[in-house]
Amino acid sequence: MKIGELAKATDTQVETIRFYEQEGLLAKPARTDGNFRIYENQHLERLIFIRHCRSLDMALNEIRQLLRFKDLPNENCGSVNNLLDAHIQTVTNRIKDLRQLEKQLKGLRELCQVNQDSAHCGILNELSQPMKSL
């Protein structure tokens, strides 16, 4: 299949497919005499895997590591478990940070309960103050 067909089959932009090729996540395809890329089923399967990992917010380096294990099917998957555990911890930390951000934004919102002129807006006035240390 051509790159446009692969893009459509995986709901991936053509530029993203080219980027994954440049990053070494997706093997460079063979080319026709007219210099068109021709993708095989293995490209489709690998791109589906990459897209699934990206939907789980995995970084390219994490995906690269997972692909190495996928390419070595007889390897022990303990490192895959460790990678996923580390990713879970990263997500947990981000959730904690987002909850703290939500708390700060709600506190900021409470500073302006009524619509008034901007000069007396509690939100704008608070944002004009030096940041407080956490």
Side-chain angles (χ1 to χ4, degrees):
M1 71 184 87
K2 292 183 181 177
I3 196 167
E5 295 167 315
L6 180 64
K8 187 174 181 179
T10 59
D11 194 28
T12 305
Q13 293 184 4
V14 168
E15 296 81 17
T16 303
I17 294 171
R18 289 181 183 141
F19 174 75
Y20 290 153
E21 286 176 19
Q22 290 171 350
E23 288 294 312
L25 296 174
L26 197 60
K28 301 241 185 242
R31 291 190 177 257
T32 66
D33 291 337
N35 207 28
F36 289 104
R37 292 175 169 96
I38 297 296
Y39 294 89
E40 308 282 333
N41 195 44
Q42 65 195 24
H43 292 99
L44 175 68
E45 291 172 4
R46 194 165 181 100
L47 186 54
I48 288 170
F49 182 90
I50 294 167
R51 295 277 294 161
H52 196 158
C53 290
R54 291 296 294 143
S55 77
L56 296 171
D57 202 34
M58 291 185 178
L60 295 181
N61 192 44
E62 292 172 315
I63 297 169
R64 193 172 282 111
Q65 291 175 52
L66 290 175
L67 285 169
R68 281 189 205 120
F69 281 100
K70 190 166 172 36
D71 292 340
L72 300 169
N74 294 325
E75 290 290 316
N76 183 297
C77 72
S79 294
V80 173
N81 292 335
N82 293 338
L83 185 144
L84 196 61
D85 289 341
H87 187 68
I88 290 167
Q89 188 59 54
T90 299
V91 170
T92 300
N93 292 341
R94 284 182 48 210
I95 290 169
K96 179 183 167 194
D97 292 345
L98 286 170
R99 285 191 178 128
Q100 181 62 33
L101 175 60
E102 178 187 34
K103 182 179 174 183
Q104 291 173 353
L105 289 169
K106 285 181 176 179
L108 191 59
R109 179 61 181 94
E110 289 176 8
L111 296 175
C112 190
Q113 295 296 319
V114 271
N115 293 338
Q116 53 192 340
D117 59 279
S118 295
H120 295 97
C121 176
I123 296 170
L124 295 176
N125 290 332
E126 181 64 22
L127 290 173
S128 297
Q129 301 301 312
M131 291 177 51
K132 298 172 185 164
S133 299
L134 296 176

